């Protein structure tokens, strides 16, 4: 009897945990998709009123409608900022949405989702040789390639003895948050225990890189990767 | 036996709630998919004659075009919103990006494939050269952002900031490119 009580409690706990996970995942997925729709609605609204509303939606003095620069469409746009604020966990949802969108066209909205992914992932692939892009579809290709290659590049770079720490940093942070998983693995691999002090210490550079990527904003990381900002290691 | 009943009740409630959560998610997903489909190749927005006259010294409506295509996409012949640069495109950055397929011929107005417009070392607009440049009538056409596609009878048809009523304009012809 006692055994069955324990089993039933455990099973109930398991079911409830699974249920909560499903709800949380769906909640994030729904929130992200809803926010993407809010952003598209806002851009549509700005397009409709860019000329007729006496300059309400001008960008640098030019009616938004006349602009071919996609960045003009997300500038000073709270809905875009809200999408980016959803953070790293929303990336797979945005990527899926972009992938679906591109089945229909390679237009402005796809490009805007690509900008959002770059902002959230703290990357600027246009500044790289390997992952340059110019449209939503070319971004998605670059993004998928980067996800496939990041682990090897980060490992090879990290353990390349011919490179200085600064050079390693510049190469690795070009991948932004995509590099975090591999860096965490390196941290775990390099973790050494001091039995006497009962303390543990990961490799210093891996630790610094994780901190740098998680605490810095995109502009800072891109600036360091492109050698526009000094790097103090 | 009592605990078994308790287990069955908890499981039943959990399954019921799970089905509810999944159903809500499925319905919402269906709606969102419908929204994506609606974005498929929309016609460009229609500009007013007043706006056209403020943008260009000469223009003739050519075609409506697609909202999913910008000026560079049109000039390159692809139905896409194409912009290889970050927030602004300097002359040098544009030269570098287009150099893969195009030779820059400076400010020439002669028989080029792509024309670029702007000011203050920033390019904001592109047009497509048609046939033999100035010998063809008209020599260029261009898609104006989210608006339609227009023919122009000169290769330098746009007003500058000083000439237009806007604080920024497409500006003067600053670059021309010929396909390699």
């Amino acid at each position: 009897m006692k055994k069955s009580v324990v089993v039933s409690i455990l099973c109930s706990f398991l079911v409830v945990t699974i249920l909560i996970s499903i709800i949380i995942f769906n909640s994030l997925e729904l929130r992200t998709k809803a926010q993407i729709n809010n952003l598209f609605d806002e851009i549509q609204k700005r397009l409709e009123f860019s000329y007729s509303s006496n300059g309400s939606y001008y960008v640098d003095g030019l009616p938004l409608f006349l602009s071919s620069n996609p960045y003009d469409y997300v500038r000073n746009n709270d809905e875009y900022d809200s999408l980016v604020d959803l953070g790293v966990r929303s990336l797979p949802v945005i990527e899926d949405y972009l992938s679906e969108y591109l089945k229909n066209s390679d237009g402005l909205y796809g490009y805007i989702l690509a900008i959002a992914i770059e902002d959230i992932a703290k990357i600027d692939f246009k500044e790289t040789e390997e992952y340059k892009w110019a449209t939503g579809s070319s971004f998605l290709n670059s993004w998928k390639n980067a996800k496939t290659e990041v682990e090897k590049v980060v490992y090879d770079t990290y353990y390349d003895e011919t490179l200085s720490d600064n050079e390693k940093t510049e190469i690795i942070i070009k991948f932004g948050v995509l590099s975090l998983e591999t860096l965490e693995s390196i941290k775990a691999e390099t973790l050494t225990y001091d039995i006497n002090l009962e303390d543990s210490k990961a490799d210093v550079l891996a630790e610094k890189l994780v901190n740098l990527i998680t605490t810095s904003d995109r502009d800072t990381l891109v600036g360091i990767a492109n050698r526009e900002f000094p790097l103090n290691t | 036996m009592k605990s078994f009943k308790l287990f069955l009740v908890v499981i039943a409630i959990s399954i019921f709630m799970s089905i509810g959560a999944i159903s809500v998610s499925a319905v919402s997903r269906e709606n969102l998919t419908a929204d994506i489909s609606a974005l498929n190749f929309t016609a460009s927005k229609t500009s007013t004659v007043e706006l056209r006259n403020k943008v260009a010294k000469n223009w003739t409506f050519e075609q409506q075009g697609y909202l999913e295509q910008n000026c560079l996409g049109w000039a390159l012949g692809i139905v896409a919103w194409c912009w290889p640069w970050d927030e602004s495109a300097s002359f040098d950055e544009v030269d570098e990006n287009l150099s893969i397929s195009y030779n820059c011929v400076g400010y020439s107005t002669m028989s080029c494939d792509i024309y670029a417009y702007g000011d203050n070392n920033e390019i904001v607009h592109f047009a497509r050269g048609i046939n033999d440049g100035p010998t063809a009538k008209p020599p260029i056409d261009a898609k104006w952002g989210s608006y339609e596609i227009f023919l122009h009878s000169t290769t330098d048809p746009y007003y500058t900031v000083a000439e237009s009523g806007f604080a920024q304009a497409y500006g003067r012809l600053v670059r021309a490119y010929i396909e390699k």
Side-chain angles (χ1 to χ4, degrees), chain A residues 1 4-5 7-9 11-13 15-16 19 22-23 25-26 29-30 33-34 37 40 44 47-48 50-51 58-73 75 97 100-109 111 118 124 126-127 129 132-136 218, chain B residues 1-4 6-7 10-11 14-15 17-18 21-22 24-25 28-29 31-33 35-37 39-41 45 48 50-51 54-55 67-72 78-89 93 96-97 122 124-125 143-147 166-170:
Chain A
M1 195 64 172
S4 64
V5 169
V7 169
S8 66
I9 288 172
C11 287
S12 304
F13 183 74
V15 169
V16 169
L19 175 67
I22 289 170
I23 290 169
F25 176 77
N26 281 325
E29 186 182 3
L30 289 177
K33 287 185 172 178
N37 279 350
F40 290 173
Q44 196 60 33
L47 287 175
E48 296 296 340
S50 71
Y51 185 63
Y58 280 31
V59 176
D60 291 341
L62 194 72
L64 181 62
F65 244 156
L66 286 171
S67 178
S68 279
N69 183 339
Y71 292 89
D72 287 345
Y73 291 80
R75 200 177 302 173
Y97 203 111
E100 279 297 311
Y101 172 79
L102 292 173
K103 287 176 184 170
N104 294 321
S105 72
D106 200 359
L108 174 64
Y109 292 105
Y111 198 113
E118 281 214 327
D124 186 358
K126 290 194 187 116
E127 295 293 333
E129 283 302 315
K132 277 184 191 297
W133 61 281
T135 65
R218 175 180 180 255
Chain B
M1 198 62 187
K2 207 172 186 180
S3 63
F4 183 68
L6 176 71
F7 169 70
V10 171
I11 288 293
S14 300
I15 289 171
M17 287 176 74
S18 297
I22 291 166
V24 168
S25 151
S28 304
R29 212 172 279 132
N31 292 340
L32 292 165
T33 309
D35 286 346
I36 292 173
S37 303
L39 298 173
N40 188 16
F41 285 98
K45 298 294 176 186
T48 61
E50 183 195 4
L51 175 69
K54 282 175 88 173
V55 172
L67 196 57
E68 287 79 16
Q69 186 178 42
N70 66 349
C71 62
L72 184 57
I78 53 172
V79 184
W81 203 278
C82 184
W83 192 261
W85 311 282
D86 285 326
E87 297 200 22
S88 64
E93 286 170 330
E96 188 189 335
N97 273 96
E122 186 180 351
V124 297
H125 182 60
K143 187 165 190 302
W144 294 6
S146 299
Y147 282 127
F166 302 126
Q168 194 190 73
Y170 283 160

Side-chain angles (χ1 to χ4, degrees), chain A residues 26-37:
Chain A
N26 281 325
S27 166
L28 178 70
E29 186 182 3
L30 289 177
R31 272 175 59 209
T32 305
K33 287 185 172 178
Q35 191 52 44
I36 291 171
N37 279 350

Side-chain angles (χ1 to χ4, degrees), chain B residues 143-162:
Chain B
K143 187 165 190 302
W144 294 6
S146 299
Y147 282 127
E148 314 98 312
I149 296 156
F150 296 95
L151 291 159
H152 298 294
S153 58
T154 61
T155 52
D156 204 356
Y158 302 110
Y159 286 114
T160 62
V161 171

Side-chain angles (χ1 to χ4, degrees), chain A residues 204-220:
Chain A
V204 174
L205 181 59
E207 187 89 51
K208 275 187 177 177
L209 282 169
V210 170
N211 286 338
L212 184 66
I213 291 165
T214 50
T215 60
S216 303
D217 60 26
R218 175 180 180 255
D219 288 346
T220 305

